[in-house]
């Protein structure tokens, strides 16, 4: 197998329209955390793409499946191996999570941000510097708004489906 994965989005100077340079590398917007992952090898459907949710932590379980090895696994790693032969199958994961924090270590942090998304919606939480109890949020419909331009929390009551997703993603964060 050959595995290629990108590194945390595109750097700001390389971003071109319609993408927003302020939502690129070192952010929790899709331009900063959504990266390419390409796998080739035996049993992989060549040129196929999956819409399933995937996290780089899933590489642990996926490689273990590829090699047939049984090794201790991080609790958040889910094998993507089934996507390789059937990329059209429904998402194995219900959600994915990412976070950014500065400075390294256990805090307090000058910058602390978390995000969780499901197949359609994405909730982002921006914590007040040095205070992990106070935060602001943004919520996007990534199907209708893939460039994260319209924060649904600013537009009045959420439609029922969006409200249900918001509640689920709140529990993740």
């Amino acid at each position: 197998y050959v595995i290629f994965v990108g590194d945390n989005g595109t750097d700001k100077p390389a971003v071109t329209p319609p993408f927003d340079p302020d939502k690129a590398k070192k952010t929790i917007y899709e331009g900063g955390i959504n990266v390419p992952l390409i796998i080739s090898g035996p049993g992989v459907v060549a040129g196929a793409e999956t819409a399933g949710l995937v996290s780089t932590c899933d590489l642990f379980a996926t490689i273990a499946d590829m090699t047939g090895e049984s090794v201790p696994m991080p609790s958040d790693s889910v094998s993507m191996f089934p996507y390789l032969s059937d990329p059209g199958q429904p998402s194995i994961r219900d959600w994915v999570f990412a976070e950014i924090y500065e400075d390294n270590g256990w805090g307090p942090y000058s910058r602390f941000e978390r995000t969780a998304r499901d197949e359609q919606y994405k909730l982002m939480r921006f914590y007040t510097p040095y205070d992990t109890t106070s935060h602001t949020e943004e919520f996007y419909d990534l199907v209708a708004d893939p460039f994260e331009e319209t924060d649904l929390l600013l537009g009045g009551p959420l439609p029922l489906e969006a409200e249900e997703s918001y509640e689920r993603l709140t529990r993740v964060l």
Side-chain angles (χ1 to χ4, degrees), residues 69-82:
E69 293 295 320
S70 177
V71 294
M73 202 58 55
S75 62
D76 58 348
S77 187
V78 177
S79 177
M80 300 175 290
F81 196 64

Side-chain angles (χ1 to χ4, degrees), residues 2 11 14 26 36 39 42 44 51 56 64 78 88 92 114 118 122 125-126 130 135 137 140 148 150 153-156:
V2 176
D11 205 16
K26 297 186 181 178
I39 300 176
V44 176
T56 53
V78 177
I92 296 168
R114 288 183 161 176
D118 59 25
K122 180 177 178 182
R125 193 170 280 170
F126 302 88
Y130 304 107
H135 65 269
E137 294 180 336
Y140 296 96
E148 298 164 306
T150 304
L153 297 177
L154 300 177

Side-chain angles (χ1 to χ4, degrees), residues 29-59:
Y29 291 95
E30 287 299 286
I33 60 173
N34 191 347
V35 298
L37 171 65
I38 300 168
I39 300 176
S40 67
V44 176
V45 177
E49 291 184 30
T50 183
L53 298 172
V54 173
S55 175
T56 53
C57 68
D58 296 336
L59 288 170

Side-chain angles (χ1 to χ4, degrees), residues 114-165:
R114 288 183 161 176
T115 186
R117 69 160 291 186
D118 59 25
E119 290 186 276
Q120 182 166 358
Y121 296 99
K122 180 177 178 182
L123 177 60
M124 302 165 66
R125 193 170 280 170
F126 302 88
Y127 291 88
T128 303
Y130 304 107
D131 178 6
T132 57
T133 61
S134 176
H135 65 269
T136 59
E137 294 180 336
E138 294 178 17
F139 186 61
Y140 296 96
D141 179 339
L142 295 177
V143 172
D145 180 21
F147 300 109
E148 298 164 306
E149 296 173 332
T150 304
D151 182 356
L152 298 176
L153 297 177
L154 300 177
L158 296 171
L160 180 59
E161 180 184 0
E163 179 68 34
E164 290 171 350
S165 181

Side-chain angles (χ1 to χ4, degrees), residues 7-10 23-35:
D7 175 27
N8 298 330
T10 302
K23 295 180 178 180
K25 192 175 191 87
K26 297 186 181 178
T27 73
I28 57 172
Y29 291 95
E30 287 299 286
I33 60 173
N34 191 347
V35 298

